Amino acid sequence: MSDYVLRIIAKDAGVRALFCTTKDLVQEAATRHETKPTATAALGRGLTGAALLGALLKVRQRIALKFEGDGPLRKMLVESDAYGKVRGYVAESQINLPMQVGSSDPYDVGRALGAGRLTVVKDLKLRDLYESIVPLATGQIDEDLEMYLTQSEQIPTAVQVGTRLDQHGEVLTAGGLLIQNIAGYAQTAIHQLAERVLDLPPLVDKLADGYTLEDVAAELFDGLQIEYEILEKRPLVFSCGCSRERSFKALTSLGMEDIHAMIEEGQAIVDCHFCHERYLFSVDDLNNILALMRNP
């Protein structure tokens, strides 16, 4: 498999860990939305973060992350589920800030997103959705997710996500890691691992050099002599649930006046924000919708 998430547990140390590579799904999203480099880097980090948090969910559960800032990127919405299906978009796909050579944030994603808030919505298949809103700490995505998990969910966590592009703006590599303390265990190991993550080169740089996720995990844990077990290797894909049928159903929820206006215009166009798929409905299609409205 090309993109996948590696699920790990270190029982004695009391930590769980996720490592993922997301190059192909990030490139597909970037291609669909025709993003410029800064927007691509931001979207890549967001999609990777969503993939990691989605891997923490149980069967049939979903999570959505909405980043809203005062920077030129304005907004980014990414979603994932427990099955490794990820999708997302940025409000301003053509943002391309000057490269910050030598910086830890060469694509200047933090400034592109700016200050604002992060809204986390989870569908846990309960009666109500879980929603939490926290300030954007830095706009760096991983630092914001780390702060959310540590402070809002009260789970000591280390998060790292990244995207590297080539000179043409294509995705060279993308991926990330998430390490969490298991409830009831001492926090010694999570702090040691978080410090080692900062000491080692970023995961995306390792992937660019030919390392596998298994190699990165071994370097991280073996360096601290922490025994661990690989529980699962699960594929990740860019996947959107939109369809012509769903778009048709959405049109039927409009009023007759709206449908008549579309008929006068000669067609209806439904664009999916998440995957940029476009669905066209002819006058005949719209007349069929009117007929359904009159005879439900």
Side-chain angles (χ1 to χ4, degrees), residues 101-176:
V101 180
S103 167
S104 60
D105 183 18
Y107 305 106
D108 217 1
V109 170
R111 185 162 70 90
L113 192 55
R117 65 180 185 175
L118 164 63
T119 303
V120 179
V121 180
K122 292 183 182 179
D123 180 0
L124 304 178
K125 296 307 172 184
L126 301 175
R127 185 177 66 178
D128 298 317
L129 296 175
Y130 164 90
E131 181 174 311
S132 179
I133 300 176
V134 297
L136 281 179
T138 65
Q140 298 292 334
I141 309 303
D142 49 11
E143 294 178 16
D144 295 304
L145 292 176
E146 186 174 300
M147 182 170 291
Y148 157 73
L149 290 164
T150 301
Q151 295 186 0
S152 183
E153 296 201 358
Q154 299 293 301
I155 306 174
T157 307
V159 180
Q160 182 188 96
V161 296
T163 312
R164 292 289 183 271
L165 310 179
D166 64 20
Q167 59 183 344
H168 305 295
E170 299 294 302
V171 180
L172 181 64
T173 185

Side-chain angles (χ1 to χ4, degrees), residues 247-262:
S247 298
F248 185 91
K249 186 175 180 180
L251 288 174
T252 61
S253 67
L254 300 176
M256 287 189 178
E257 184 177 337
D258 294 322
I259 301 301
H260 280 296
M262 294 175 188

Side-chain angles (χ1 to χ4, degrees), residues 237-255:
V237 295
F238 182 92
S239 177
C240 187
C242 74
S243 65
R244 181 175 177 81
E245 291 73 21
R246 287 192 176 188
S247 298
F248 185 91
K249 186 175 180 180
L251 288 174
T252 61
S253 67
L254 300 176

Side-chain angles (χ1 to χ4, degrees), residues 63-295:
I63 188 168
L65 308 172
K66 182 165 66 172
F67 299 83
E68 297 173 288
D70 59 7
L73 202 62
R74 293 199 302 114
K75 182 177 75 173
M76 174 168 63
L77 181 59
V78 290
E79 294 184 357
S80 182
D81 64 15
Y83 305 101
K85 296 178 180 178
V86 189
R87 66 177 187 171
Y89 68 92
V90 290
E92 301 295 339
S93 63
Q94 300 303 295
I95 298 302
N96 187 24
L97 302 180
M99 286 285 292
Q100 305 297 305
V101 180
S103 167
S104 60
D105 183 18
Y107 305 106
D108 217 1
V109 170
R111 185 162 70 90
L113 192 55
R117 65 180 185 175
L118 164 63
T119 303
V120 179
V121 180
K122 292 183 182 179
D123 180 0
L124 304 178
K125 296 307 172 184
L126 301 175
R127 185 177 66 178
D128 298 317
L129 296 175
Y130 164 90
E131 181 174 311
S132 179
I133 300 176
V134 297
L136 281 179
T138 65
Q140 298 292 334
I141 309 303
D142 49 11
E143 294 178 16
D144 295 304
L145 292 176
E146 186 174 300
M147 182 170 291
Y148 157 73
L149 290 164
T150 301
Q151 295 186 0
S152 183
E153 296 201 358
Q154 299 293 301
I155 306 174
T157 307
V159 180
Q160 182 188 96
V161 296
T163 312
R164 292 289 183 271
L165 310 179
D166 64 20
Q167 59 183 344
H168 305 295
E170 299 294 302
V171 180
L172 181 64
T173 185
L177 59 85
L178 183 152
I179 306 171
Q180 282 190 331
N181 191 69
I182 298 176
Y185 284 80
Q187 298 180 16
T188 305
I190 182 64
H191 292 313
Q192 291 175 336
L193 287 163
E195 290 179 3
R196 183 157 174 78
V197 166
L198 294 176
D199 290 338
L200 292 173
L203 179 143
V204 287
D205 290 350
K206 288 286 189 179
L207 294 177
D209 289 339
Y211 285 67
T212 65
L213 294 182
E214 290 82 352
D215 295 332
V216 176
E219 183 177 24
L220 180 61
F221 283 95
D222 292 347
L224 294 172
Q225 297 183 334
I226 295 177
E227 294 185 1
Y228 67 95
E229 177 186 359
I230 295 177
L231 299 177
E232 182 185 21
K233 182 177 179 180
R234 179 182 296 183
L236 297 170
V237 295
F238 182 92
S239 177
C240 187
C242 74
S243 65
R244 181 175 177 81
E245 291 73 21
R246 287 192 176 188
S247 298
F248 185 91
K249 186 175 180 180
L251 288 174
T252 61
S253 67
L254 300 176
M256 287 189 178
E257 184 177 337
D258 294 322
I259 301 301
H260 280 296
M262 294 175 188
I263 290 174
E264 289 180 5
E265 293 176 0
Q267 65 177 353
I269 300 174
V270 179
D271 289 318
C272 177
H273 287 299
F274 285 100
C275 68
H276 247 211
E277 198 70 37
R278 170 166 286 188
Y279 301 99
L280 299 178
F281 295 88
S282 67
V283 170
D284 288 340
D285 295 325
L286 296 170
N287 280 322
N288 289 335
I289 291 175
L290 282 178
L292 287 174
M293 289 178 171
R294 297 189 184 104
N295 301 288

